[in-house]
């Protein structure tokens, strides 16, 4: 249990991590970030993913449901920092992805994003997405060594992925230079020593607006089997930023606790029957936020030792700073 002073520090921590300069209450108006999963399928079988345990198997999101979501997001576009059209799986399996990006952009959404394993990012699909106005693309490529890569991104072919990535960068430079490219490595035991070589290679390909980064392998809220951490984390002892920043929407409209609740173990409602705003301010979400602020997040099993948001050097520094000041233990 934490005291009032700690609660105040937690609120300060959350605003600093999510939206520096804003007030704590601003975080509760509408989600700053949304992840809309339009398709729940993947063509890879990666060991750092939980796909073997998925129980949903939904059909792709219907046009009507996507339009309902898009209308509300567009109406609140001034409060939304980013809309990501992916969650669990490979978003390029959705053949309507480009038109859905275009709907959001035409409505005034400032930042749209996808994260892809790049295997399906052909020249034609690349052109469609760039024409639609896609703002940011995360290229998830975990190694430049064919054997290491294919042992991580099981079922994918390294040469095809690398060719697609380099071609996309070339097309971006010609067609829509303002589209940002983030190249990401999920750092784990097999590739953790490769970063200097990886960094040197990709830095020579990217522009000044792009981002090159690594994300330590995480435990999916304790759900990833055979998980081996590679770094210390303070996240399990701090309130999770996701409950104040991100709303996840599955293909059928269900809203889970967060982005690691892949089987909707802790449902928050459905945008098929409620608005995003109603869910964001709902009693169940407020109760779950209170558990985090009071030091009782372990009452939610997925939150007990989750480290998913230990995602960048800046975040790690802020988390360590607050954890140290509050004398919280690191893991």
């Amino acid at each position: 249990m934490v005291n009032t002073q700690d609660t105040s520090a937690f609120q300060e921590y959350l605003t600093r991590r999510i939206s520096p300069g804003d007030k704590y209450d601003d975080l509760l108006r509408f989600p700053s970030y949304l992840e809309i999963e339009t398709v729940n399928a993947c063509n890879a079988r990666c060991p750092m993913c939980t796909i073997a345990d998925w129980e949903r198997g939904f059909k792709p999101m219907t046009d009507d449901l996507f339009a309902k979501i898009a209308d509300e997001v567009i109406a609140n576009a001034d409060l939304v920092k980013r809309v990501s059209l992916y969650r669990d799986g490979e978003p390029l399996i959705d053949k309507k992805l480009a038109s859905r990006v275009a709907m959001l952009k035409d409505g005034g959404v400032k930042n749209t994003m996808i994260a892809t394993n790049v295997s399906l990012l052909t020249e034609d699909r690349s052109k469609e997405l760039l024409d639609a106005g896609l703002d940011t693309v995360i290229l998830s490529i975990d190694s430049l060594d064919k054997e290491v890569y294919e042992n991580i991104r099981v079922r994918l072919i390294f040469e095809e992925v690398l060719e697609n990535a380099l071609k996309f960068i070339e097309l971006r430079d010609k067609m829509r230079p303002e589209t940002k490219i983030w190249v990401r490595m999920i750092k784990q035991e097999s590739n953790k020593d490769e970063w200097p070589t990886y960094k040197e290679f990709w830095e020579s390909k990217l522009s000044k607006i792009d981002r090159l980064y690594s994300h330590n392998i995480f435990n999916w809220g304790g759900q990833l089997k055979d998980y081996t951490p590679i770094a210390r984390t303070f996240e399990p002892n701090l309130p999770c930023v996701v409950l104040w920043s991100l709303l996840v929407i599955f293909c059928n409209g269900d809203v889970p606790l967060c982005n690691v609740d892949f089987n909707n173990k802790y449902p928050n409602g459905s945008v098929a029957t409620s608005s995003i705003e109603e869910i964001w301010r709902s009693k169940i979400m407020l109760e779950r936020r209170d558990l985090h602020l009071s030091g009782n997040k372990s009452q939610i099993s997925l939150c007990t030792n989750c480290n998913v948001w230990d995602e960048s050097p800046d975040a790690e520094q802020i988390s360590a700073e607050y954890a140290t000041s509050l004398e919280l233990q690191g893991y």
Side-chain angles (χ1 to χ4, degrees), residues 4-276:
T4 303
Q5 183 177 356
D6 290 345
T7 299
S8 178
F10 281 161
Q11 292 178 346
E12 179 184 309
Y13 161 76
L14 289 164
T15 54
R16 186 174 169 190
R17 279 287 300 271
I18 298 165
S19 192
D22 282 349
K23 297 178 181 179
Y24 172 78
D25 288 344
D26 292 336
L27 304 179
L28 304 178
R29 291 187 294 170
F30 198 81
S32 298
Y33 302 90
L34 293 103
E35 290 183 354
I36 305 170
E37 176 197 72
T38 66
V39 63
N40 175 224
C42 192
N43 59 337
R45 292 296 182 272
C46 307
M48 67 280 194
C49 179
T50 57
I51 190 169
D53 299 315
W54 291 359
E55 297 173 357
R56 294 186 286 123
F58 298 143
K59 295 179 180 179
M61 183 174 284
T62 65
D63 292 343
D64 287 346
L65 180 57
F66 185 83
K68 179 181 186 295
I69 296 167
D71 285 346
E72 186 176 1
V73 172
I74 289 167
N76 290 277
D78 59 326
L79 300 175
V80 176
K81 294 184 177 181
R82 183 170 65 231
V83 178
S84 300
L85 294 181
Y86 71 93
R87 179 52 258 152
D88 296 327
E90 172 51 51
L92 288 168
I93 291 175
D94 180 4
K95 301 300 184 184
K96 298 180 178 180
L97 187 62
S99 64
R100 289 171 166 171
V101 170
M103 182 184 297
L104 293 170
K105 293 302 298 178
D106 291 345
V109 173
K110 296 182 289 290
N111 190 355
T112 56
M113 171 188 275
I114 66 165
T116 174
N117 64 34
V118 195
S119 62
L120 303 178
L121 192 62
T122 62
E123 184 171 349
D124 286 344
R125 297 301 298 280
S126 297
K127 289 178 179 178
E128 287 178 359
L129 291 167
L130 291 167
D131 283 338
L134 184 64
D135 296 286
T136 309
V137 180
I138 300 176
L139 307 179
S140 291
I141 305 172
D142 302 308
S143 177
L144 293 174
D145 181 287
K146 176 178 172 64
E147 182 178 358
V148 172
Y149 175 85
E150 292 182 359
N151 281 331
I152 295 174
R153 297 284 170 171
V154 178
R155 296 187 180 180
L156 305 187
I157 299 172
F158 172 71
E159 292 85 356
E160 291 180 356
V161 166
L162 184 61
E163 181 180 355
N164 285 347
L166 295 176
K167 185 63 178 179
F168 182 79
I169 294 171
E170 178 186 336
L171 288 169
R172 183 283 304 268
D173 292 345
K174 293 178 180 177
M175 294 178 59
R176 197 172 191 272
E178 63 269 35
T179 293
K180 297 178 178 66
I181 296 174
W182 296 4
V183 176
R184 176 178 66 190
M185 171 195 282
I186 303 299
K187 196 178 287 186
Q188 49 207 284
E189 281 297 328
S190 62
N191 66 2
K192 66 181 183 180
D193 297 325
E194 190 183 331
W195 179 251
T197 303
Y198 183 96
K199 182 173 181 286
E200 181 180 5
F201 176 85
W202 287 110
E203 279 184 339
S204 68
K205 315 296 181 187
L206 300 174
S207 76
K208 292 181 180 180
I209 68 168
D210 297 330
R211 181 185 180 194
L212 174 63
Y213 71 111
S214 65
H215 191 315
N216 293 336
I217 186 173
F218 52 85
N219 62 12
W220 288 90
Q223 299 176 97
L224 183 63
K225 297 173 183 176
D226 302 320
Y227 166 72
T228 302
I230 64 168
R232 188 185 187 200
T233 178
F234 291 98
E235 295 302 309
N237 287 125
L238 292 163
C240 181
V241 294
V242 72
L243 295 183
W244 285 263
S245 61
L246 173 67
L247 192 81
V248 173
I249 302 173
F250 288 148
C251 293
N252 67 342
D254 286 348
V255 176
L257 172 70
C258 63
N259 56 322
V260 304
D261 190 9
F262 53 86
N263 282 329
N264 202 17
K265 184 176 181 179
Y266 292 93
N268 279 327
S270 172
V271 295
T273 54
S274 302
S275 71
I276 292 171

